[in-house]
Amino acid sequence: MKLKILGCAGGIGGKEPHTTSMLVDDDLLVDAGTGLANLSIEQLVAIDHVFISHCHLDHVAGLALLMDAVFGKRSAPVIIHASPEVVQALKAHIFNWVIWPDFASLPNAEQPSMRFEEMPAGSTLTLGDRIISSHPVNHTPGSVGYWIRNSDAGFLFTGDMATSPDLWDVMKNETALRQVIVDCSFPDAEAELAHISRHFCPSALLQDIQGMPEAVDFLIYHLKPGQETKIMSELEATRPGKFTALRAGDSFLF
């Protein structure tokens, strides 16, 4: 199983140019931020499944453009997996014929270009030899993280989140877990803003993951533009070598 990071920034204008999107193998997309701009039309057409963690714009802006790019070029619909709350938000606020066309009814309802499949938090889906489980996290309503693995190894993508002890209680016992891609958006000086917006700052993240096995690597994403160096220095000062800033173009093999 291959993982390629297309985008991982918490906004635009910083060290990383694109927002969150990750490609698993050639056909499975995790979140659909502006990182999709790194793919060719042929690569976009090959995407069969999209898993959305939550419906904030930096994670779904590319989904609308993806559907426009592949329209009429595929024989089967792109399947969008998300919690019921996120599915409803995407239907109501993006694919509503005002912000963007409803590709779930194009070219017609019988042969749509896009199909939504609700994936409630706590559910598991198997696609070939890949297993995808969703877990609720503390962010906007319906937000989930995804635990994606094969029979040997895998990674956890938390999505955007604040303290979520139930997630770590589950994941600390997963012996196949190799890496965690986790949000840390603000430095400790902005801990109150992190709390209000339901994101991590370094001190809160460190408190949350204290029970996780030492062998698990933590890859930090969603660093706010202009704050990247400060956030990573605060993490490094407390747990040297434990945290790495994720970058677009990074790739991993499981």
Side-chain angles (χ1 to χ4, degrees):
M1 184 174 72
K2 299 176 295 182
L3 169 65
K4 184 173 183 179
I5 307 304
L6 306 177
C8 55
I12 61 173
K15 288 186 176 181
E16 288 296 318
H18 292 295
T19 66
T20 308
S21 191
M22 307 174 189
L23 187 65
V24 178
D25 298 325
D26 298 316
D27 63 326
L28 193 159
L29 193 70
V30 183
D31 275 355
T34 63
L36 277 174
N38 287 312
L39 297 181
S40 67
I41 188 64
E42 291 80 13
Q43 291 172 307
L44 294 170
V45 168
I47 295 171
D48 294 324
H49 299 270
V50 182
F51 290 81
I52 300 295
S53 66
H54 67 292
C55 53
H56 276 163
L57 195 59
D58 57 322
H59 294 256
V60 302
L63 182 59
L65 299 175
L66 166 67
M67 294 314 307
D68 182 62
V70 306
F71 181 69
K73 300 179 179 67
R74 291 174 46 87
S75 58
V78 179
I79 302 176
I80 313 302
H81 306 269
S83 69
E85 297 92 333
V86 171
V87 167
Q88 181 56 38
L90 291 171
K91 289 179 176 179
H93 301 299
I94 295 182
F95 298 99
N96 59 7
W97 293 107
V98 177
I99 300 299
W100 209 247
D102 177 15
F103 282 93
S105 62
L106 288 173
N108 55 64
E110 289 70 37
Q111 295 178 308
S113 300
M114 174 178 70
R115 188 173 81 237
F116 289 103
E117 288 195 1
E118 293 185 355
M119 187 174 181
S123 59
T124 295
L125 178 67
T126 299
L127 297 174
D129 61 355
R130 301 163 303 191
I131 305 167
I132 302 96
S133 298
S134 68
H135 293 274
V137 298
N138 178 19
H139 193 52
T140 54
S143 293
V144 299
Y146 291 109
W147 164 219
I148 302 176
R149 71 277 192 196
N150 54 29
S151 58
D152 299 316
F155 68 96
L156 169 67
F157 170 60
T158 69
D160 294 3
M161 64 179 286
T163 182
S164 300
D166 290 347
L167 173 67
W168 307 117
D169 284 345
V170 171
M171 295 308 304
K172 69 183 180 183
N173 298 315
E174 293 286 357
T175 58
L177 179 64
R178 299 292 179 266
Q179 291 165 320
V180 174
I181 299 171
V182 63
D183 161 27
C184 195
S185 297
F186 299 98
D188 279 339
E190 298 184 17
E192 182 61 22
L193 178 57
H195 174 72
I196 292 170
S197 60
R198 297 186 182 182
H199 287 285
F200 277 128
C201 62
S203 60
L205 175 59
L206 287 161
Q207 177 68 25
D208 230 42
I209 64 170
Q210 59 182 343
M212 291 295 290
E214 282 295 322
V216 175
D217 294 326
F218 284 84
L219 306 173
I220 305 301
Y221 98 104
H222 211 266
L223 298 157
K224 288 296 183 179
Q227 305 274 38
E228 300 97 335
T229 299
K230 179 65 173 173
I231 296 167
M232 292 308 302
S233 65
E234 290 179 353
L235 288 170
E236 183 67 17
T238 51
R239 297 280 293 274
K242 187 67 174 177
F243 303 99
T244 302
L246 201 62
R247 300 188 63 182
D250 285 348
S251 59
F252 307 91
L253 186 65
F254 301 91

